Amino acid sequence: MPSFCFKPLTLTLAIAGALAAGVAQADTTLWGSARAAVQYVDIGDNPQGINTDVPNYWDMVNPGTRIGFRGREELGGNLSAIWEYEFGVDNIEGGNFYSRTSWVGLLGGFGQLTVGRQYAPYYWMIGLPQEIWQVDETAPGYFYLGLPKYENNSIVYYSPVFFGPSRVGAELGAGDPAGEIRPLGPIGMPIRNPGLQFGAAMVLQPMDQPDSPLPGDQTNSSGFDMWEAGAMYSQPPFFLNAAYRRFESNITGVSANGSPVNFQGLIATAGSDVWGITGSYASGPFYAALTYQSASVEQGSSTPGGSPYEVEFTGQYAIAPHTFRLGYSYVNTDGLTSGVTAPRQVSDINTWMAGYQYNFSKRTWVFAEYRTSEFYGGYGQVSNRYFGYDYGVFSTGMRHEF
């Protein structure tokens, strides 16, 4: 057959290849974490003698199993479209998927701007450095003042990095502040380069819609529920973060439909605010983090006002294949109501934590953790967990990252 018969096809393929070279490239990544744990819960006596006859028990829990999709499309001109969907998975009882994050945005020389349901910048800066634990029941005292961890209806902005190497480029992964939650460092914390970075968020809330970032009364809303801002400074092996959050709507007490709201934080009312600072050190096998939070809580219909604060320390030492952890948190509640549908007064909360992890590989490990908390207050129940004066939880389980 004459060779010229192939020329139209060859020319067509050449043109298509040239056009494809100028078209924006898109990448999508599937990732996830499979987790399961068995727990023994030890319920101590309540010093007021209220409902103390509650048996200890064994339980199986899902400590955050998830699956996610994140994507990035290069638009040209140092601009990228980024998006993420992260779903929680009930791998213990076979329940449905539930949304953890779902957002879309732009990444470029200006920084990163995203909209949707996202991790709160306040949590990212103040709480995340303390989250070296494997199960929620060993979670730090940060959450008494640091909720919410996720924010619906949010607009989140992270600046580019100043006074350090630029991280707006091919090495970035979509989805997190400067894309740094993956890869993780050898101790399981986000890798961060030297420099200064700022972050801010605003949580919008139309007044005729009840789906606030946390359950609550929207009558005090001025068009948005909360806003926050902060900064992260890195000069390895030292890291320093500071952030501020302001609540413009009630987030606990009596909801819009008149039913009581179960919320495990101490901040409850519009006009309340909280600020925090976290310093951490990471070098070789050592990691340590120290956090301080202080809040000003306005008086509400079902909650008193006050000025609670929290101090927390966590430390970790890793020598392959072993990892050892210790932690302590102290929360001065200033007599605020917390955690049960019926208001009650709670005293200061002391929590000690210890953990061990054995790594089969960089992606698979088993763990054992223990937490004991002491607080004086009316007896209550939160998320099917009973709280007396002494409350101990032992957890052991397995985790695999993919």
Side-chain angles (χ1 to χ4, degrees):
M1 181 178 292
S3 61
F4 67 81
C5 293
F6 288 89
K7 288 183 178 179
L9 177 59
T10 303
L11 180 61
T12 300
L13 293 176
I15 294 174
L19 290 175
V23 174
Q25 300 297 306
D27 295 304
T28 299
T29 301
L30 169 68
W31 61 274
S33 179
R35 313 176 187 185
V38 176
Q39 292 183 340
Y40 178 74
V41 181
D42 180 10
I43 304 167
D45 291 333
N46 182 284
Q48 293 178 330
I50 305 173
N51 294 336
T52 57
D53 188 20
V54 178
N56 302 333
Y57 61 91
W58 287 93
D59 194 12
M60 181 170 286
V61 297
N62 169 21
T65 294
R66 66 200 68 182
I67 187 169
F69 305 86
R70 58 167 53 120
R72 175 173 177 171
E73 181 184 14
E74 302 292 343
L75 303 177
N78 198 29
L79 185 66
S80 300
I82 55 177
W83 59 272
E84 179 179 78
Y85 286 92
E86 179 184 337
F87 302 95
V89 183
D90 184 356
N91 63 337
I92 301 300
E93 298 180 351
N96 296 327
F97 286 67
Y98 57 92
S99 176
R100 294 174 66 92
T101 64
S102 54
W103 53 259
V104 65
L106 292 172
L107 175 70
F110 62 90
Q112 177 174 297
L113 181 66
T114 52
V115 295
R117 173 176 166 85
Q118 308 172 68
Y119 286 102
Y122 186 92
Y123 161 75
W124 192 271
M125 299 174 187
I126 308 302
L128 182 62
Q130 294 287 357
E131 285 224 70
I132 61 176
W133 307 99
Q134 302 298 303
V135 295
D136 290 342
E137 286 71 21
T138 322
Y142 159 83
F143 292 105
Y144 285 100
L145 299 182
L147 290 175
K149 179 177 180 178
Y150 304 94
E151 294 173 341
N152 293 343
N153 311 310
S154 62
I155 302 172
V156 176
Y157 170 74
Y158 288 97
S159 75
V161 177
F162 302 98
F163 312 114
S166 173
R167 286 174 283 177
V168 177
E171 76 276 13
L172 292 185
D176 306 293
E180 293 193 305
I181 189 62
R182 283 178 171 76
L184 296 179
I187 57 171
M189 298 303 293
I191 296 173
R192 288 174 53 190
N193 295 325
L196 176 66
Q197 187 175 26
F198 299 95
M202 177 179 292
V203 179
L204 304 180
Q205 180 56 60
M207 296 194 58
D208 59 348
Q209 296 184 12
D211 57 329
S212 67
L214 294 173
D217 181 1
Q218 295 303 305
T219 57
N220 292 330
S221 176
S222 58
F224 57 93
D225 280 336
M226 69 178 72
W227 61 270
E228 56 198 61
M232 301 178 286
Y233 178 73
S234 306
Q235 192 62 50
F238 300 100
F239 308 90
L240 184 64
N241 302 339
Y244 172 84
R245 171 183 280 165
R246 168 82 177 184
F247 294 89
E248 302 294 344
S249 296
N250 294 340
I251 57 174
T252 189
V254 179
S255 66
N257 62 10
S259 62
V261 172
N262 186 339
F263 174 60
Q264 297 184 41
L266 291 174
I267 303 176
T269 49
S272 301
D273 59 11
V274 59
W275 65 271
I277 184 169
T278 294
S280 56
Y281 172 87
S283 178
F286 295 99
Y287 176 80
L290 180 65
T291 296
Y292 177 80
Q293 293 186 95
S294 178
S296 176
V297 181
E298 295 294 317
Q299 183 175 353
S301 58
S302 61
T303 56
S307 300
Y309 66 88
E310 184 250 352
V311 180
E312 183 160 358
F313 169 80
T314 55
Q316 176 175 281
Y317 178 76
I319 178 170
H322 311 283
T323 302
F324 304 90
R325 300 184 176 101
L326 289 173
Y328 170 77
S329 71
Y330 169 74
V331 181
N332 184 312
T333 67
D334 200 21
L336 292 174
T337 300
S338 173
V340 292
T341 54
R344 63 186 170 95
Q345 299 291 312
V346 297
S347 72
D348 302 346
I349 305 170
N350 288 281
T351 302
W352 292 265
M353 300 158 284
Y356 168 76
Q357 177 177 312
Y358 181 85
N359 302 291
F360 292 107
S361 69
K362 291 183 178 180
R363 295 186 175 186
T364 303
W365 58 85
V366 292
F367 60 86
E369 295 180 347
Y370 180 75
R371 165 189 172 174
T372 179
S373 295
E374 295 181 353
F375 65 87
Y376 181 91
Y379 186 85
Q381 180 180 0
V382 180
S383 300
N384 297 321
R385 298 182 180 90
Y386 296 91
F387 286 78
Y389 182 72
D390 296 308
Y391 177 74
V393 181
F394 171 78
S395 305
T396 182
M398 179 176 177
R399 178 169 167 176
H400 173 74
E401 303 288 302
F402 62 90

